[in-house]
Amino acid sequence: MNAVVVEKITKKYGDVTALDDVSLSVREGEIFGLLGPNGAGKTTLMEIIVGLRRPDSGKVILLGTDFTKKPNEIGHIIGFNPQETMLYDNLTVLENLEFIASLYSFSREKFEERLRILSEMFELSNFLKRRTGKLSGGQKRRVSLAASLLHDPPVVVLDEPTVGLDPDARREFWKFIEDMKKEGKTILLSTHYMEEADELCDRVAIMDLGKIIIIGSPDELKRLHGGSAKIAIHVKMRFLELAEKVLFDYAPTRVLEWLEIRTEKPEELVPDLIAKLQSAGIDPENVEIRSPTLEDVFLNLTGRRLMEAIR
């Protein structure tokens, strides 16, 4: 069964079309990712799904019910974690969670049971009594995620859940998301981190300019649209132009201080490339064989690199 169905959603702001006839479905129990640059329409789509915005046309069906015309009822089945944490900095973590529980008219017994479960899941016990404004970015994210799960919703929507976190905190957060899936939650998340989408998502929808370009599993998309493997060669900046000339016949692409060469047989080609460079007096500092990534998929489908589109 599909937990979330989006049918032909369109949303305009004046002359700007934020979403253009967008349709997708999220299966129960899966992690589904929206991957794309800022301005692709990811946040607008999520805000429509959780009832914060109304579409100009189209509908949203959650667990078999059309909520498009009654968005105020969505909150009981969806937990929403926006980019900006919706917490009061002058309250303690416990006070924030107590306040949110009061919005759902929780009994004290039910609140304490959910608090125990979430404190264990997100490791909150050590800072429950600290003021939220004194927490690190990663700790605030944990509290925000716990808050969105307080009423135990079957569907969780996460808008750029790890933006601004350092790599270690990001990977820690991935574990929390995977644990939520193990608890049976259906998770819809947006991200512009390719590695995050690749690591977490069962399926992804690649978005650009208000449209969904393609939907599939990360492996499927990379296989069908990622192109060939690449040999990446790192040389010192002062040798970069000469290295390009030496390897001209292999059509190298410059990416910062790396030269990338696409090939179907990278293992066979690497020794020849190194020999040509060394014969020109260039010793590569590093040579890597890189498999296709979701960045390659985005590039091949849109003609732009995802990180360039973000900037």
Side-chain angles (χ1 to χ4, degrees), residues 3 27 31 38 40 51 57 66 82 100 106 109 141-142 193-194 198 210 213 231 238-239 266 272 292-293 296 299 307:
R27 300 164 187 155
I31 301 177
N38 298 332
S57 61
D66 183 354
I100 292 167
F106 276 16
E109 181 180 2
R141 289 278 176 184
R142 284 196 237 168
Y193 296 122
M194 296 164 294
D198 207 347
I213 301 170
I231 299 171
R238 65 178 183 271
F239 294 128
D272 291 342
T293 67
D296 296 314
L299 174 63
M307 297 311 294

Side-chain angles (χ1 to χ4, degrees), residues 3-21:
V4 180
V5 177
V6 172
E7 294 186 357
K8 297 183 176 299
I9 291 289
T10 294
K11 181 67 176 178
K12 294 184 178 181
Y13 300 100
D15 295 331
V16 177
T17 301
L19 295 172
D20 187 0
D21 199 35

Side-chain angles (χ1 to χ4, degrees), residues 68-80:
T68 307
K69 296 180 180 179
K70 43 185 178 180
N72 294 336
E73 299 179 22
I74 292 177
H76 291 283
I77 63 172
I78 275 191
F80 180 46

Side-chain angles (χ1 to χ4, degrees), residues 106-151:
F106 276 16
S107 67
R108 190 68 196 180
E109 181 180 2
K110 183 176 181 179
F111 170 69
E112 289 180 353
E113 174 63 12
R114 291 298 297 159
L115 180 64
R116 181 188 64 78
I117 292 171
L118 295 171
S119 292
E120 182 177 332
M121 179 181 291
F122 299 115
E123 302 171 5
L124 306 179
S125 300
N126 291 335
F127 49 87
L128 278 174
K129 295 184 178 180
R130 288 177 58 187
R131 292 194 183 278
T132 306
K134 300 294 185 181
L135 301 180
S136 68
Q139 289 171 333
K140 277 189 177 182
R141 289 278 176 184
R142 284 196 237 168
V143 177
S144 181
L145 188 52
S148 68
L149 293 175
L150 197 57
H151 59 300

